[in-house]
Every structure is written in structure tokens, then in C-alpha cells.
Amino acid sequence: MTRDEIRKLLGGYATGTLSDAERRALFRAALEDQEIFDALADEEALRELFSDESYRRELAAALAEQRPGLGERLAAWWRPAPIAAAAAFVGVLVVGITVLTRPPAYEVAMRTEPKAAVPRAVEKAGGEAASKGGELPGTAVEEPTRQPGEARESAAERVEAEAAAVEGKPQRAARAKAKVPPEGRPAAPALPLAPRRDMVRAGAAPALGTARRAMIAEARRAPGVIGGVIPERGAVMGGSAGVAPPPAVLARPAEVARLRVTVQRLRADREFEAAPAGYRFKPGEVVRLRVVAPVPGFLYVAEQTGGSGWRLIHSGRVEAGQPVFLPARGGLPPQPEPGVCRYRVIVSEEALPLDELESGEAFEPGAAEHWAEVTLEYRAAGR
Amino acid sequence: MGSGREPRVAKTTPQSPVLPTGSGELRGREAVLGRLRERIVGYAASRIGREAAEDLAQEVLIVLETKYPQVGAAEELAPLAFRILRFKMAAWRRKRARRGEDRQAALDDVQPADPAPDPEAEAEMRERRERLRTAIEKLSGRCRQIFRLKLEGKSFAEIQREMGAASLNTVYTWDYRCRQKLLALLGGSWEAER
């Protein structure tokens, strides 16, 4: 078999599709060729997933369900077409009738450019109004001095002003006057702008991207509590320099349950107890964290020591209201030297990207997550 | 048979349990292990660095020597090596994530082994399964059929018959292309990069 043919056998490894001869050829080739070996080693991740028989069956069942073909998808796309066409026709009809039944003055205004039409319309109506001894409509449509921040007029309002002037209705024209834009200034759009999609993230944002970090940074500047979660004092009781999460305001109901984090220290009798408030830890002392999540989801814990970056030390499922001890047995690695050790606990209803968390560069909680931070200060005895 | 169970690694130095042979047909378990070591070091060095790669290869070979002394064929040893290598690499990554390089006591060393399933590994596995399912469901037509048949345990020859392909090579090619599509849907790697 050629090398290319051997490479094609790779696809059979993870699923156990290979015959004995194919297996032999593939593995012997892997021993000779580093590239094939590497590809097979990477394939092991896939084989591990497929080795679960129930998962295999589940996937096969999902694949057995026919995905709609191109024809069906096109048909589905065209199905609402007659309705859309009918709606469009009705829309055109309504617009047509509206335009045709408008008074002639409106038509004049519609035809003219705002810049030129207004004086012309005023001129036409001005003589009429003057002959009646009224105020010259020309004053009503003078270019208003726009104050900064003043709302711009819509095209309809401008037309209204022009129409009023043409009809010789100075009061109406005067009312509309203030809304007439300065020369050459473009009219504002009639509809409000849609929010930028790239600034919106639906649901619990699982990624820790720039936008999210910016959101967190913004939230921290505002008063309140991030995620709506008020970390209990218990969360920091164990540390003499406990630091509550920076305040922030984010949309989460105030009545939501709280994330509870407690520091427990190992006593001489090998039992753990909650560290009392103001307790100073000694280097080498064994501690663990007790976490009670407010919602079911995923628990992530990161550690920061000696000014280093955040390092993920735990991730896993968590149930609401059920205490979780970290670690499950024994204590956290003891801090051998005096110093500060911080733990950041995040509970998210959605799984967070482990690769980003493990990189340690972006262990920042998102808006949709509950979190708390614990600071433990280790001091040498007698200090 | 008693001597057959004796770890052969004991006869060689710890750094190099077996000597790599030259190219060509590999004869004997030691020759296969030697070649495996080379490949494991090459693979691990490209993923986690040269220094750790040597240790990792050594650990894999020790497991092969102590737990599978009866296995000698390349086609049996290689898949075993892949499995052990994967566990070792995952453990290495977790260990590194859990503790700093400057910390002497690892979390694993402090607490006794927990017989319960590792929640971290479980969560990770769940995440990977979901990722794969989402990608595989996006496949269409022939690719869905090929993957379904493979997952049902059919061999390439059976797949050829079922799909009416002209030759076995045609099935290999279809499968290769479908895998490329799936890989692209997964962002170029079977598992999220760490």
C-alpha cells in the first residue's frame, strides 16, 4: 500500500472499522512514519469517544435521521413565498392609494427638494397669507437655529412643514418650523437603528472574549455586585485579607440564591473546620474550600499565588445547594512560604471553554456567572 | 512462561529501555518498542516539549513492559501505546494546570486517590462528546451514511457492499474526504486545543 492509501486507513482506527490486514498495515506504517504515528496518536481522542457503546449508538441514531435534502430545504424556503408576495402586493396597494389620495399640496412638497422647495412653497402661500393680514409664512419656515442635541426632524415632519406653508397655515407651519433641518443636513432615519449584533451575546456567554472582558471591566466600575451575587462574608472569613468581588451591576434578579464559599482548615485531630474570621494561616497549613452553588451547572476554581496568573485547579459539574469540597479528599496543596494565595470560584450554568480557562490568561467571570473570590494570607508564626 | 512476565525494561538503562533498530522489517518486541519510543518522543515533543517528551515516552514504555509483557506484535503494541500515551499526556496536562511549576506538592500527592470518577475528566468528556455530536450532525448525504455504518461496526468491505461502491479504495477515499469535512467542522482538531 502506498503512503496515501495508508493515510486513508486512519479513518477506520477510531471506529474499529479496520480488518486485521488493514490494522497491521496501518500500525506498521505508523512505526516507520512519524507523520502517520502523530495522526494516529491524535486519533486516539476520537477513538476514546467512540469506545463508549451508548454514545456510538446515539450518534448512529442521530445520523440515521435524514437531514432534509436540498430539494426539501428549497421547498421549505419557498413555502412562505406566496404569503410574502401577497403581503408585498397589499403593501404596494396601500402605499399607492395613500399617495394618490393625498392633497395636492402634499404632492408639491413631495416633489421638491427640502432645500429649494420650502422657499418656493412659502412664496406661493406667503402672498395669500399676507393678503389676509396674517404673519408671513416665510418666517415660519426659516432655518431654525439648531441647538446641540436637538432632535432631528423626520422626512414626514419636514413635509408637514412645507405642506402647512403651502396651504397658508402659518401656525401649523410655525409648529413644524422648529423641526426643519438646516440646509444640507441629512434627515434622520425614520426607524431607530438596530443594536449592533456584535455587541450582543445571547444567554450565558461561554467565551471569554474581548467584548466580555470589556463588559466585566465596565461592570466593575459601577456600584453593585457582579452577577447579582453577594459573596457572603463566609467566603472570605478564612482569610485575614478576604476580598469580596469588585462591585458591579449586572442584570440578575436580586432574589437569586447566593454562591457560598467557605474556607476550612485542618485541625490537629485531622478534622476540617471553618476557619474563623480573621484567622491567620500558617505556611504549610492544610485548607480546603467548601462551595455551595446557587444553581446547577459547572464549577470552576482557579488559584493565584505569588503574583502569578490564574491557574485552573478544578472544573466539574455541580448541583444547586449541595456542598462540594475542594479537593474532595484531603486539602489543597499547602502554601510553603508566607504570602498570599487567592482562589476564584465560578459557577456557570453553561460549560465554559476549558482551553481558555486552562490557559490561565482569562479566568474572568462573565456576567451570567456566579463567582466569589477568597484571599488567604499566610504568615509565619509570631509575625 | 514465568520469565516471560519479567519486565524486560530491567535489563536496560532507565533512559533507554530498548535500543531502536534500523529501518526495515521490525523483528521482535524490543525492536518494536524501540521504534515506538522514537515515535512517542517525536509526537510528545511536538505537543508538550522535548523535555517532558522523554519522560513521557519512558513512562509509556514502562507501562508496556510491566503490564503487557506478553504483547509482542506491532499492531497490538502500537494501539496500546496510543492509549497509554493519551492517558499520560492528559495526566501531565492536568497536573501542570493544577499546580505551578514552583510548587512542590501536587494536588494528586496530597490527597489519597479518589475511586469515584474524576468530575473534571467527566465534564471534559461531556464537552467533547457534545462538540463531536454537533459537528457530526452537520454532515450530509454520503458522509452521514459512511459515519453511521462505521459507528454500527461495519468494516470497510461491508460498507463498500452496502453503499455499492466500485472498489474498496473508493470507500477509503470517501471516508477520507468525509473525515476532512468533519475535522474542518471541529476546527481542525479532534479535541479542543489546550
Side-chain angles (χ1 to χ4, degrees), chain A residues 79-122:
Chain A
R79 211 165 289 140
I83 301 167
F89 177 74
V90 170
V92 168
L93 209 63
V94 167
V95 170
I97 290 169
T98 309
V99 168
L100 288 173
T101 54
R102 280 277 187 170
Y106 183 82
E107 284 178 36
V108 170
M110 286 287 283
R111 272 204 308 273
T112 54
E113 287 298 316
K115 192 176 167 184
V118 173
R120 273 208 307 275
V122 167

mmCIF file of all heavy atoms in Angstrom, chain A residues 79-122:
data_model
loop_
_atom_site.group_PDB
_atom_site.id
_atom_site.type_symbol
_atom_site.label_atom_id
_atom_site.label_comp_id
_atom_site.label_asym_id
_atom_site.label_seq_id
_atom_site.Cartn_x
_atom_site.Cartn_y
_atom_site.Cartn_z
ATOM 1 N N ARG A 79 -41.861 27.961 0.718
ATOM 2 C CA ARG A 79 -43.225 27.812 1.240
ATOM 3 C C ARG A 79 -43.851 29.166 1.606
ATOM 4 O O ARG A 79 -44.961 29.467 1.225
ATOM 5 C CB ARG A 79 -43.218 26.858 2.434
ATOM 6 C CG ARG A 79 -44.502 26.078 2.553
ATOM 7 C CD ARG A 79 -44.312 24.914 3.484
ATOM 8 N NE ARG A 79 -43.486 23.867 2.937
ATOM 9 C CZ ARG A 79 -42.568 23.174 3.609
ATOM 10 N NH1 ARG A 79 -42.358 23.422 4.866
ATOM 11 N NH2 ARG A 79 -41.874 22.234 3.026
ATOM 12 N N PRO A 80 -43.148 30.014 2.350
ATOM 13 C CA PRO A 80 -43.788 31.298 2.698
ATOM 14 C C PRO A 80 -43.767 32.309 1.555
ATOM 15 O O PRO A 80 -44.270 33.410 1.708
ATOM 16 C CB PRO A 80 -42.946 31.807 3.868
ATOM 17 C CG PRO A 80 -41.649 31.115 3.747
ATOM 18 C CD PRO A 80 -41.841 29.873 2.959
ATOM 19 N N ALA A 81 -43.228 31.955 0.410
ATOM 20 C CA ALA A 81 -43.101 32.910 -0.688
ATOM 21 C C ALA A 81 -44.453 33.474 -1.142
ATOM 22 O O ALA A 81 -44.583 34.691 -1.319
ATOM 23 C CB ALA A 81 -42.359 32.270 -1.854
ATOM 24 N N PRO A 82 -45.507 32.635 -1.345
ATOM 25 C CA PRO A 82 -46.788 33.210 -1.773
ATOM 26 C C PRO A 82 -47.350 34.189 -0.748
ATOM 27 O O PRO A 82 -47.886 35.235 -1.118
ATOM 28 C CB PRO A 82 -47.702 31.971 -1.879
ATOM 29 C CG PRO A 82 -46.777 30.819 -2.025
ATOM 30 C CD PRO A 82 -45.533 31.178 -1.301
ATOM 31 N N ILE A 83 -47.169 33.874 0.537
ATOM 32 C CA ILE A 83 -47.667 34.769 1.581
ATOM 33 C C ILE A 83 -46.923 36.093 1.518
ATOM 34 O O ILE A 83 -47.511 37.176 1.580
ATOM 35 C CB ILE A 83 -47.491 34.112 2.977
ATOM 36 C CG1 ILE A 83 -48.263 32.796 3.019
ATOM 37 C CG2 ILE A 83 -47.935 35.051 4.102
ATOM 38 C CD1 ILE A 83 -47.934 31.912 4.202
ATOM 39 N N ALA A 84 -45.591 35.971 1.356
ATOM 40 C CA ALA A 84 -44.770 37.181 1.290
ATOM 41 C C ALA A 84 -45.168 38.018 0.072
ATOM 42 O O ALA A 84 -45.256 39.251 0.141
ATOM 43 C CB ALA A 84 -43.299 36.798 1.218
ATOM 44 N N ALA A 85 -45.429 37.337 -1.060
ATOM 45 C CA ALA A 85 -45.803 38.053 -2.277
ATOM 46 C C ALA A 85 -47.130 38.767 -2.079
ATOM 47 O O ALA A 85 -47.292 39.936 -2.478
ATOM 48 C CB ALA A 85 -45.894 37.068 -3.441
ATOM 49 N N ALA A 86 -48.077 38.075 -1.428
ATOM 50 C CA ALA A 86 -49.393 38.681 -1.193
ATOM 51 C C ALA A 86 -49.248 39.895 -0.280
ATOM 52 O O ALA A 86 -49.855 40.947 -0.527
ATOM 53 C CB ALA A 86 -50.320 37.644 -0.554
ATOM 54 N N ALA A 87 -48.422 39.755 0.754
ATOM 55 C CA ALA A 87 -48.212 40.856 1.692
ATOM 56 C C ALA A 87 -47.583 42.046 0.981
ATOM 57 O O ALA A 87 -47.973 43.204 1.203
ATOM 58 C CB ALA A 87 -47.329 40.385 2.840
ATOM 59 N N ALA A 88 -46.628 41.747 0.107
ATOM 60 C CA ALA A 88 -45.953 42.817 -0.635
ATOM 61 C C ALA A 88 -46.943 43.538 -1.541
ATOM 62 O O ALA A 88 -46.938 44.768 -1.645
ATOM 63 C CB ALA A 88 -44.807 42.226 -1.450
ATOM 64 N N PHE A 89 -47.817 42.748 -2.174
ATOM 65 C CA PHE A 89 -48.802 43.334 -3.071
ATOM 66 C C PHE A 89 -49.733 44.267 -2.307
ATOM 67 O O PHE A 89 -49.989 45.394 -2.728
ATOM 68 C CB PHE A 89 -49.595 42.212 -3.756
ATOM 69 C CG PHE A 89 -50.686 42.722 -4.650
ATOM 70 C CD1 PHE A 89 -50.387 43.298 -5.887
ATOM 71 C CD2 PHE A 89 -52.017 42.644 -4.263
ATOM 72 C CE1 PHE A 89 -51.383 43.783 -6.708
ATOM 73 C CE2 PHE A 89 -53.020 43.132 -5.083
ATOM 74 C CZ PHE A 89 -52.712 43.705 -6.308
ATOM 75 N N VAL A 90 -50.202 43.776 -1.157
ATOM 76 C CA VAL A 90 -51.099 44.585 -0.327
ATOM 77 C C VAL A 90 -50.384 45.857 0.108
ATOM 78 O O VAL A 90 -50.946 46.959 0.077
ATOM 79 C CB VAL A 90 -51.586 43.768 0.903
ATOM 80 C CG1 VAL A 90 -52.314 44.665 1.898
ATOM 81 C CG2 VAL A 90 -52.486 42.633 0.442
ATOM 82 N N GLY A 91 -49.111 45.713 0.480
ATOM 83 C CA GLY A 91 -48.322 46.867 0.918
ATOM 84 C C GLY A 91 -48.218 47.915 -0.181
ATOM 85 O O GLY A 91 -48.448 49.113 0.041
ATOM 86 N N VAL A 92 -47.917 47.452 -1.384
ATOM 87 C CA VAL A 92 -47.779 48.369 -2.526
ATOM 88 C C VAL A 92 -49.105 49.063 -2.792
ATOM 89 O O VAL A 92 -49.164 50.275 -3.043
ATOM 90 C CB VAL A 92 -47.295 47.589 -3.778
ATOM 91 C CG1 VAL A 92 -47.423 48.440 -5.030
ATOM 92 C CG2 VAL A 92 -45.852 47.146 -3.579
ATOM 93 N N LEU A 93 -50.191 48.285 -2.682
ATOM 94 C CA LEU A 93 -51.529 48.822 -2.921
ATOM 95 C C LEU A 93 -51.854 49.933 -1.930
ATOM 96 O O LEU A 93 -52.323 51.014 -2.303
ATOM 97 C CB LEU A 93 -52.549 47.678 -2.775
ATOM 98 C CG LEU A 93 -53.827 47.807 -3.593
ATOM 99 C CD1 LEU A 93 -53.503 47.809 -5.084
ATOM 100 C CD2 LEU A 93 -54.795 46.670 -3.249
ATOM 101 N N VAL A 94 -51.558 49.674 -0.662
ATOM 102 C CA VAL A 94 -51.846 50.656 0.393
ATOM 103 C C VAL A 94 -51.041 51.920 0.171
ATOM 104 O O VAL A 94 -51.577 53.037 0.240
ATOM 105 C CB VAL A 94 -51.542 50.032 1.787
ATOM 106 C CG1 VAL A 94 -51.530 51.109 2.871
ATOM 107 C CG2 VAL A 94 -52.569 48.949 2.106
ATOM 108 N N VAL A 95 -49.770 51.750 -0.138
ATOM 109 C CA VAL A 95 -48.917 52.924 -0.371
ATOM 110 C C VAL A 95 -49.437 53.712 -1.564
ATOM 111 O O VAL A 95 -49.537 54.942 -1.537
ATOM 112 C CB VAL A 95 -47.453 52.488 -0.594
ATOM 113 C CG1 VAL A 95 -46.598 53.649 -1.088
ATOM 114 C CG2 VAL A 95 -46.878 51.922 0.701
ATOM 115 N N GLY A 96 -49.804 52.986 -2.609
ATOM 116 C CA GLY A 96 -50.302 53.634 -3.828
ATOM 117 C C GLY A 96 -51.551 54.450 -3.536
ATOM 118 O O GLY A 96 -51.653 55.612 -3.913
ATOM 119 N N ILE A 97 -52.495 53.836 -2.824
ATOM 120 C CA ILE A 97 -53.755 54.525 -2.501
ATOM 121 C C ILE A 97 -53.476 55.751 -1.647
ATOM 122 O O ILE A 97 -54.012 56.833 -1.875
ATOM 123 C CB ILE A 97 -54.721 53.555 -1.789
ATOM 124 C CG1 ILE A 97 -55.199 52.506 -2.791
ATOM 125 C CG2 ILE A 97 -55.897 54.299 -1.170
ATOM 126 C CD1 ILE A 97 -55.935 51.337 -2.175
ATOM 127 N N THR A 98 -52.588 55.594 -0.678
ATOM 128 C CA THR A 98 -52.252 56.706 0.220
ATOM 129 C C THR A 98 -51.684 57.877 -0.570
ATOM 130 O O THR A 98 -52.077 59.024 -0.388
ATOM 131 C CB THR A 98 -51.236 56.240 1.269
ATOM 132 O OG1 THR A 98 -51.718 55.058 1.870
ATOM 133 C CG2 THR A 98 -50.988 57.294 2.331
ATOM 134 N N VAL A 99 -50.784 57.565 -1.464
ATOM 135 C CA VAL A 99 -50.134 58.615 -2.245
ATOM 136 C C VAL A 99 -51.155 59.304 -3.149
ATOM 137 O O VAL A 99 -51.205 60.530 -3.239
ATOM 138 C CB VAL A 99 -48.972 58.019 -3.076
ATOM 139 C CG1 VAL A 99 -48.473 59.021 -4.114
ATOM 140 C CG2 VAL A 99 -47.839 57.594 -2.148
ATOM 141 N N LEU A 100 -51.993 58.494 -3.750
ATOM 142 C CA LEU A 100 -52.956 59.070 -4.703
ATOM 143 C C LEU A 100 -54.017 59.916 -4.021
ATOM 144 O O LEU A 100 -54.540 60.854 -4.613
ATOM 145 C CB LEU A 100 -53.629 57.940 -5.501
ATOM 146 C CG LEU A 100 -52.724 57.252 -6.523
ATOM 147 C CD1 LEU A 100 -53.422 56.046 -7.124
ATOM 148 C CD2 LEU A 100 -52.313 58.235 -7.625
ATOM 149 N N THR A 101 -54.374 59.567 -2.784
ATOM 150 C CA THR A 101 -55.449 60.305 -2.103
ATOM 151 C C THR A 101 -54.943 61.478 -1.275
ATOM 152 O O THR A 101 -55.704 62.149 -0.611
ATOM 153 C CB THR A 101 -56.241 59.355 -1.178
ATOM 154 O OG1 THR A 101 -55.307 58.714 -0.317
ATOM 155 C CG2 THR A 101 -57.029 58.323 -1.969
ATOM 156 N N ARG A 102 -53.635 61.766 -1.300
ATOM 157 C CA ARG A 102 -53.081 62.912 -0.562
ATOM 158 C C ARG A 102 -53.505 64.209 -1.226
ATOM 159 O O ARG A 102 -53.701 64.258 -2.446
ATOM 160 C CB ARG A 102 -51.554 62.846 -0.571
ATOM 161 C CG ARG A 102 -51.016 61.876 0.448
ATOM 162 C CD ARG A 102 -50.953 62.556 1.778
ATOM 163 N NE ARG A 102 -50.299 61.710 2.749
ATOM 164 C CZ ARG A 102 -49.946 62.147 3.945
ATOM 165 N NH1 ARG A 102 -50.161 63.394 4.283
ATOM 166 N NH2 ARG A 102 -49.383 61.328 4.795
ATOM 167 N N PRO A 103 -53.641 65.326 -0.462
ATOM 168 C CA PRO A 103 -53.964 66.619 -1.087
ATOM 169 C C PRO A 103 -52.830 67.075 -1.995
ATOM 170 O O PRO A 103 -51.685 66.684 -1.799
ATOM 171 C CB PRO A 103 -54.113 67.571 0.112
ATOM 172 C CG PRO A 103 -53.706 66.808 1.310
ATOM 173 C CD PRO A 103 -53.536 65.389 0.972
ATOM 174 N N PRO A 104 -53.135 67.900 -2.968
ATOM 175 C CA PRO A 104 -52.129 68.349 -3.949
ATOM 176 C C PRO A 104 -50.930 69.016 -3.302
ATOM 177 O O PRO A 104 -49.821 68.827 -3.749
ATOM 178 C CB PRO A 104 -52.885 69.344 -4.815
ATOM 179 C CG PRO A 104 -54.330 69.054 -4.589
ATOM 180 C CD PRO A 104 -54.464 68.430 -3.255
ATOM 181 N N ALA A 105 -51.142 69.784 -2.238
ATOM 182 C CA ALA A 105 -50.021 70.476 -1.594
ATOM 183 C C ALA A 105 -48.961 69.490 -1.132
ATOM 184 O O ALA A 105 -47.771 69.753 -1.208
ATOM 185 C CB ALA A 105 -50.530 71.270 -0.396
ATOM 186 N N TYR A 106 -49.424 68.408 -0.669
ATOM 187 C CA TYR A 106 -48.512 67.361 -0.218
ATOM 188 C C TYR A 106 -47.671 66.884 -1.375
ATOM 189 O O TYR A 106 -46.488 66.679 -1.258
ATOM 190 C CB TYR A 106 -49.347 66.214 0.369
ATOM 191 C CG TYR A 106 -48.516 65.101 0.939
ATOM 192 C CD1 TYR A 106 -47.984 65.210 2.228
ATOM 193 C CD2 TYR A 106 -48.236 63.965 0.197
ATOM 194 C CE1 TYR A 106 -47.219 64.199 2.751
ATOM 195 C CE2 TYR A 106 -47.475 62.952 0.718
ATOM 196 C CZ TYR A 106 -46.961 63.061 2.001
ATOM 197 O OH TYR A 106 -46.217 62.071 2.527
ATOM 198 N N GLU A 107 -48.332 66.773 -2.498
ATOM 199 C CA GLU A 107 -47.611 66.315 -3.684
ATOM 200 C C GLU A 107 -46.511 67.287 -4.060
ATOM 201 O O GLU A 107 -45.420 66.908 -4.390
ATOM 202 C CB GLU A 107 -48.575 66.170 -4.857
ATOM 203 C CG GLU A 107 -49.429 64.928 -4.742
ATOM 204 C CD GLU A 107 -50.397 64.830 -5.891
ATOM 205 O OE1 GLU A 107 -50.041 65.217 -7.006
ATOM 206 O OE2 GLU A 107 -51.510 64.360 -5.653
ATOM 207 N N VAL A 108 -46.847 68.577 -3.965
ATOM 208 C CA VAL A 108 -45.843 69.606 -4.282
ATOM 209 C C VAL A 108 -44.635 69.436 -3.372
ATOM 210 O O VAL A 108 -43.499 69.407 -3.812
ATOM 211 C CB VAL A 108 -46.457 71.019 -4.122
ATOM 212 C CG1 VAL A 108 -45.368 72.072 -4.202
ATOM 213 C CG2 VAL A 108 -47.521 71.250 -5.183
ATOM 214 N N ALA A 109 -44.931 69.297 -2.084
ATOM 215 C CA ALA A 109 -43.839 69.167 -1.126
ATOM 216 C C ALA A 109 -43.020 67.913 -1.387
ATOM 217 O O ALA A 109 -41.817 67.911 -1.237
ATOM 218 C CB ALA A 109 -44.399 69.133 0.288
ATOM 219 N N MET A 110 -43.692 66.862 -1.751
ATOM 220 C CA MET A 110 -43.010 65.601 -2.010
ATOM 221 C C MET A 110 -42.087 65.701 -3.211
ATOM 222 O O MET A 110 -41.052 65.080 -3.263
ATOM 223 C CB MET A 110 -44.037 64.487 -2.291
ATOM 224 C CG MET A 110 -44.776 64.015 -1.063
ATOM 225 S SD MET A 110 -43.748 63.045 0.005
ATOM 226 C CE MET A 110 -43.745 61.519 -0.884
ATOM 227 N N ARG A 111 -42.480 66.502 -4.140
ATOM 228 C CA ARG A 111 -41.721 66.580 -5.374
ATOM 229 C C ARG A 111 -40.450 67.380 -5.234
ATOM 230 O O ARG A 111 -39.526 67.218 -5.978
ATOM 231 C CB ARG A 111 -42.590 67.241 -6.459
ATOM 232 C CG ARG A 111 -43.448 66.286 -7.250
ATOM 233 C CD ARG A 111 -43.768 66.908 -8.609
ATOM 234 N NE ARG A 111 -44.313 68.231 -8.524
ATOM 235 C CZ ARG A 111 -45.615 68.509 -8.373
ATOM 236 N NH1 ARG A 111 -46.473 67.539 -8.273
ATOM 237 N NH2 ARG A 111 -46.025 69.742 -8.333
ATOM 238 N N THR A 112 -40.484 68.298 -4.311
ATOM 239 C CA THR A 112 -39.386 69.254 -4.233
ATOM 240 C C THR A 112 -38.327 68.798 -3.238
ATOM 241 O O THR A 112 -38.606 68.079 -2.295
ATOM 242 C CB THR A 112 -39.908 70.627 -3.790
ATOM 243 O OG1 THR A 112 -40.632 70.433 -2.585
ATOM 244 C CG2 THR A 112 -40.819 71.214 -4.830
ATOM 245 N N GLU A 113 -37.128 69.287 -3.477
ATOM 246 C CA GLU A 113 -36.033 69.024 -2.541
ATOM 247 C C GLU A 113 -36.224 69.927 -1.337
ATOM 248 O O GLU A 113 -36.629 71.080 -1.482
ATOM 249 C CB GLU A 113 -34.703 69.373 -3.218
ATOM 250 C CG GLU A 113 -34.294 68.386 -4.284
ATOM 251 C CD GLU A 113 -34.075 67.008 -3.722
ATOM 252 O OE1 GLU A 113 -33.447 66.905 -2.656
ATOM 253 O OE2 GLU A 113 -34.553 66.027 -4.317
ATOM 254 N N PRO A 114 -35.966 69.488 -0.160
ATOM 255 C CA PRO A 114 -36.188 70.318 1.023
ATOM 256 C C PRO A 114 -35.548 71.692 0.909
ATOM 257 O O PRO A 114 -36.128 72.680 1.262
ATOM 258 C CB PRO A 114 -35.558 69.506 2.149
ATOM 259 C CG PRO A 114 -35.564 68.105 1.660
ATOM 260 C CD PRO A 114 -35.485 68.177 0.174
ATOM 261 N N LYS A 115 -34.345 71.721 0.388
ATOM 262 C CA LYS A 115 -33.598 72.975 0.368
ATOM 263 C C LYS A 115 -34.298 74.033 -0.480
ATOM 264 O O LYS A 115 -34.415 75.171 -0.088
ATOM 265 C CB LYS A 115 -32.224 72.690 -0.207
ATOM 266 C CG LYS A 115 -31.235 73.800 -0.035
ATOM 267 C CD LYS A 115 -29.897 73.338 -0.554
ATOM 268 C CE LYS A 115 -28.953 74.505 -0.695
ATOM 269 N NZ LYS A 115 -27.692 74.083 -1.288
ATOM 270 N N ALA A 116 -34.804 73.599 -1.659
ATOM 271 C CA ALA A 116 -35.394 74.561 -2.574
ATOM 272 C C ALA A 116 -36.906 74.663 -2.412
ATOM 273 O O ALA A 116 -37.495 75.692 -2.663
ATOM 274 C CB ALA A 116 -35.065 74.165 -4.009
ATOM 275 N N ALA A 117 -37.519 73.594 -2.030
ATOM 276 C CA ALA A 117 -38.980 73.557 -2.017
ATOM 277 C C ALA A 117 -39.559 74.485 -0.981
ATOM 278 O O ALA A 117 -40.583 75.104 -1.222
ATOM 279 C CB ALA A 117 -39.456 72.130 -1.724
ATOM 280 N N VAL A 118 -38.919 74.616 0.151
ATOM 281 C CA VAL A 118 -39.521 75.396 1.220
ATOM 282 C C VAL A 118 -39.684 76.852 0.821
ATOM 283 O O VAL A 118 -40.784 77.374 0.886
ATOM 284 C CB VAL A 118 -38.727 75.233 2.529
ATOM 285 C CG1 VAL A 118 -39.248 76.172 3.596
ATOM 286 C CG2 VAL A 118 -38.830 73.778 2.989
ATOM 287 N N PRO A 119 -38.659 77.524 0.340
ATOM 288 C CA PRO A 119 -38.874 78.917 -0.068
ATOM 289 C C PRO A 119 -39.941 79.056 -1.153
ATOM 290 O O PRO A 119 -40.750 79.958 -1.110
ATOM 291 C CB PRO A 119 -37.510 79.344 -0.600
ATOM 292 C CG PRO A 119 -36.547 78.404 0.053
ATOM 293 C CD PRO A 119 -37.289 77.112 0.192
ATOM 294 N N ARG A 120 -39.907 78.075 -2.105
ATOM 295 C CA ARG A 120 -40.900 78.177 -3.166
ATOM 296 C C ARG A 120 -42.309 78.023 -2.596
ATOM 297 O O ARG A 120 -43.197 78.787 -2.910
ATOM 298 C CB ARG A 120 -40.658 77.086 -4.227
ATOM 299 C CG ARG A 120 -39.672 77.521 -5.295
ATOM 300 C CD ARG A 120 -39.951 76.799 -6.596
ATOM 301 N NE ARG A 120 -40.012 75.365 -6.445
ATOM 302 C CZ ARG A 120 -38.952 74.574 -6.470
ATOM 303 N NH1 ARG A 120 -37.749 75.065 -6.630
ATOM 304 N NH2 ARG A 120 -39.095 73.283 -6.340
ATOM 305 N N ALA A 121 -42.495 77.103 -1.752
ATOM 306 C CA ALA A 121 -43.803 76.874 -1.167
ATOM 307 C C ALA A 121 -44.224 78.067 -0.331
ATOM 308 O O ALA A 121 -45.372 78.495 -0.357
ATOM 309 C CB ALA A 121 -43.758 75.610 -0.312
ATOM 310 N N VAL A 122 -43.267 78.622 0.377
ATOM 311 C CA VAL A 122 -43.558 79.772 1.218
ATOM 312 C C VAL A 122 -43.959 80.947 0.357
ATOM 313 O O VAL A 122 -44.898 81.672 0.646
ATOM 314 C CB VAL A 122 -42.322 80.109 2.084
ATOM 315 C CG1 VAL A 122 -42.473 81.470 2.733
ATOM 316 C CG2 VAL A 122 -42.126 79.022 3.129
#
